[in-house]
Amino acid sequence: MPDRETMPSAPAPEVSARAAALPQEALRIASGYAFSGPALHLGALLWEGQCLPDAQIRVPLAMLNRHGLVAGATGTGKTKTLQLVAEQLSAQGVPVFLADIKGDLSGIAAPGRPDARVEGRAGDVNQRWTATGFPAEYYALGGIGQGIPVRATVTGFGPVLLAKVLRLNRTQEQSLALIFHYADSKGLDLVDLKDLRAVVTFLTSDEGRQELKTIGGLSAATAGVILRSLTAFEAQGTSGFFGEPEFDTAELLRAAEDGRGVVSVLELSAVQDRPQLFSTFLMWLLADLFHDLPEAGDVDKPRLVFFLDEAHLLFDDASDAFLESITQTVRLIRSKGVGVFFVTQSPKDVPADVLAQLGNRIQHASRAFTPDDAKALNATVKTFPKSAYDLEEVLTNLGTGEAVVTVLSEKGAPTPVAATRLRAPESLMGPVGQKALGRAVEESPLYERYARAVDRESAYERLAGGLEGGRGAKGPDEMRDAVVGSGVFKSLARAVGTQIGREITRSLFGTARRPGRRRRR
């Protein structure tokens, strides 16, 4: 059952009578967190080296679609903060998405284990701690690792995101977009990577070069570079991430039978050595939600809160088009009731245009061991409102599970900066066992829907004419032989040249949905 402390309660716009005895500056800070509506409890105020349990630090539930940042050095407690916030959102009926890169978050479905540290922390912050598990679903990219497989079709993933994982430059990214436009307009379904490779191979063949001329700005040389990049990408074992059944992101919006929000945990520990790929896949999930969700306006509570862990990976080597798409998606998705939290080591990892939209901030300890660290610390301090604290000193002396907090009040104004000792999560702080995880995955009602990959007829089969042996082609020359050598190739090429396909509407990130696709709500 939901924690009584996180459920909507009677209005409490003023701090408690006991809190009135706080030091004047501490009382001023605490008063900034005395909200009248439903709120999540983060912890208790730290002031002059003391934890003040009567000065509770909270964040209004309605403000969690105004986005946020959870930052701090490695080992300072960011993962436990995600768990703490996710638990309370679930208890309030809000679905949550968590990217679990280290495998530490699977325990959210199991009750926590009381021990001296948990009991001590609960006593420090005036928390009535109760061991509680929360409804969870476990996913895995392409089925690598334990989880319900999450796949995207190449068409749905789109050219902007695919260009990032292929590490294409700006010119090549623009050329890839032209290839997608060509396939869209000709009705050539790009389900998996071999479909895209077949289309590029066709366009660079003697028979396809006339079609290439109709795509303005796409040279045969650039198409060849894209083809080689695709081949190298497939050689890294990435084919399983693309295909059907494509994951329906409406699954992330589910509630359990008891009304609590489902926590969707994407297990990434098995693919953490492919950061460029998994970070971009996280953005695909968010972009797909943006593409499909209707406008919601101001909401009493978010439809979904989405945590993007290792957020700096999104921005590394990102093109201008990619950065612009992230900025616009974050700006606009708020009106669809979705809150996005970026989780990273330093605010400087996030571009200024994105950082400016993150109204809720939980900053764990920073380190200042080198001149670069000191510079980053100074930059972090400057991102906070004017404060009663010496933030440079506070941020370097915070303990594990402590953070500097400022959030948006119910009126949308920043709250006073508050050094905070955070509450302890009530679910298991660590992974569940492999057997328990595997059982939870296989018993999920979603497992049968997504477990088995489907390879239907798409662009590759159409261009190759179903030629036996073509599926095993690995390199550009072999693929060209398979496609161009097909007995039906010439007639099909003529048909492709004259076909009026189903044009696909694409969103900011170039993600796509064909008209009429059934969406689950």
Side-chain angles (χ1 to χ4, degrees), residues 12 16 85 89 97 111 170 178 306 324 343 365 409 418 452 460 464 473:
S16 68
V85 174
L89 285 167
F97 173 86
R170 182 180 179 184
L178 291 172
F306 195 101
E324 182 180 354
V343 185
S409 71
R452 182 173 298 180
Y460 172 81

Side-chain angles (χ1 to χ4, degrees), residues 16 28 34 112 135 147 174 198 252 254 261 279 286 294 312 317 349 397 428 452:
S16 68
R28 184 190 70 81
Q174 293 170 338
L252 304 179
R254 297 164 54 230
S279 64
L286 189 61
H312 66 280
D317 302 320
D349 296 334
N397 287 287
L428 181 64
R452 182 173 298 180

Side-chain angles (χ1 to χ4, degrees), residues 331-393:
R331 181 181 298 124
L332 297 174
I333 203 168
R334 178 174 70 83
S335 66
K336 299 193 174 190
V338 176
V340 182
F341 276 69
F342 292 84
V343 185
T344 189
Q345 292 197 13
S346 169
K348 71 181 182 63
D349 296 334
V350 181
D353 288 346
V354 176
L355 188 63
Q357 299 177 58
L358 310 183
N360 302 297
R361 303 278 300 279
I362 303 175
Q363 174 70 51
H364 288 264
S366 297
R367 305 301 182 217
F369 299 135
T370 68
D372 284 345
D373 290 342
K375 185 177 179 180
L377 174 61
N378 182 260
T380 296
V381 169
K382 290 180 178 179
T383 66
F384 280 90
K386 187 177 179 180
S387 163
Y389 295 93
D390 179 343
L391 284 181
E392 286 199 18
E393 180 180 355

Side-chain angles (χ1 to χ4, degrees), residues 128-329:
R128 295 195 295 273
W129 189 91
T130 304
T132 310
F134 295 82
E137 291 280 9
Y138 300 101
Y139 299 96
L141 285 186
I144 296 179
Q146 283 191 295
I148 297 162
V150 173
R151 306 179 189 88
T153 64
V154 172
T155 283
F157 202 69
V160 176
L161 295 175
L162 189 59
K164 189 169 191 302
V165 299
L166 292 177
R167 300 180 182 272
L168 302 181
N169 63 31
R170 182 180 179 184
T171 298
Q172 294 158 357
E173 177 184 325
Q174 293 170 338
S175 297
L176 183 64
L178 291 172
I179 293 169
F180 269 75
H181 174 73
Y182 174 81
D184 290 351
S185 63
K186 300 302 181 183
L188 290 170
D189 292 337
L190 305 178
V191 173
D192 50 28
L193 292 176
K194 72 177 185 300
D195 290 321
L196 180 59
R197 191 149 53 99
V199 171
V200 180
T201 297
F202 164 57
L203 290 172
T204 55
S205 69
D206 291 338
E207 289 79 358
R209 281 175 185 162
Q210 188 59 41
E211 288 295 299
L212 186 66
K213 293 178 182 178
T214 68
I215 309 175
L218 177 61
S219 69
T222 301
V225 171
I226 293 172
L227 188 59
R228 290 191 293 275
S229 296
L230 274 171
T231 301
F233 185 59
E234 285 184 286
Q236 298 171 19
T238 57
S239 296
F241 298 108
F242 296 93
E244 289 181 328
E246 184 175 66
F247 183 69
D248 187 343
T249 51
E251 312 286 13
L252 304 179
L253 306 175
R254 297 164 54 230
E257 291 182 359
D258 62 6
R260 292 184 296 172
V262 171
V263 181
S264 297
V265 182
L266 182 63
E267 297 287 343
L268 295 172
S269 56
V271 294
Q272 60 181 304
D273 59 336
R274 302 172 190 176
Q276 194 87 1
L277 179 63
F278 75 66
S279 64
T280 309
F281 248 91
L282 295 181
M283 205 65 222
W284 170 72
L285 292 170
L286 189 61
D288 191 71
L289 283 164
F290 171 79
H291 188 273
D292 289 336
L293 284 174
E295 292 289 324
D298 292 329
V299 292
D300 294 332
K301 62 182 181 181
R303 284 176 170 166
L304 172 73
V305 176
F306 195 101
F307 289 92
L308 280 166
D309 204 355
E310 300 290 347
H312 66 280
L313 298 172
L314 281 172
F315 308 109
D316 290 348
D317 302 320
S319 68
D320 290 343
F322 187 86
L323 291 175
E324 182 180 354
S325 295
I326 290 178
T327 303
Q328 291 188 55
T329 299

Side-chain angles (χ1 to χ4, degrees), residues 113-121:
R113 297 174 184 146
D115 58 27
R117 289 201 309 173
V118 168
E119 292 170 356
R121 175 58 59 97

